[in-house]
Amino acid sequence: VQLQASGGGLVQAGGSLRLSCAASGPTLNRYVIGWFRQTPGKEREFVAAISWSAGRTSYAESVKDRFTIARDSAKNTVDLQMNSLKTEDTARYYCAGDRTGYYRYMTIRTAYEYWGQGTLVTVSS
């Protein structure tokens, strides 16, 4: 599967952005699609994930109640709606795909085999 992330940009603290991950290739029925983020000098960290078939979701504690992940089967996209953004949300955001689709691995970076190129989100104070 090929993944293409888009939607990043510059936003003020308290604002909103919507990221989109477009998937192409084989059927996504067994996949989990996740969003991760990374800042220079730090490890890539889990943000949110969704199972394509059941729509089961998982969120990092730091974004729960602010971010929402959703899939659009018609468009083959997974969107990340980010509200109430904070300066600490500044990072490059990556979408990733795990074809095994095991729920217990949704938050684990190394479980994901396919990665998009990332999109930069900058939140200013």
Side-chain angles (χ1 to χ4, degrees):
V1 67
Q2 291 80 45
L3 302 170
Q4 180 85 19
S6 61
L10 174 65
V11 64
Q12 283 194 325
S16 298
L17 272 179
R18 188 177 189 88
L19 305 183
S20 186
C21 178
S24 60
T27 177
L28 297 175
N29 284 341
R30 293 181 59 84
Y31 275 73
V32 165
I33 302 296
W35 283 95
F36 289 75
R37 65 187 182 187
Q38 188 171 24
T39 55
K42 292 190 176 181
E43 287 195 358
R44 197 168 294 186
E45 66 173 7
F46 171 76
V47 176
I50 187 168
S51 65
W52 189 265
S53 56
R56 181 167 172 168
T57 60
S58 180
Y59 294 92
E61 282 297 323
S62 60
V63 307
K64 201 172 287 187
D65 300 326
R66 298 189 298 124
F67 291 10
T68 302
I69 190 170
R71 71 201 187 296
D72 186 326
S73 300
K75 297 180 181 178
N76 245 30
T77 58
V78 172
D79 291 346
L80 184 69
Q81 178 66 42
M82 305 186 297
N83 299 328
S84 302
L85 282 161
K86 305 175 181 179
T87 56
E88 51 263 44
D89 294 318
T90 294
R92 182 167 291 277
Y93 285 70
Y94 298 87
C95 62
D98 170 16
R99 63 180 174 176
T100 64
Y102 291 126
Y103 295 152
R104 62 182 177 271
Y105 299 143
M106 288 176 91
T107 64
I108 307 300
R109 176 179 55 84
T110 53
Y112 292 79
E113 304 98 329
Y114 306 98
W115 291 84
Q117 84 291 359
T119 185
L120 184 62
V121 172
T122 303
V123 184
S124 64
S125 58

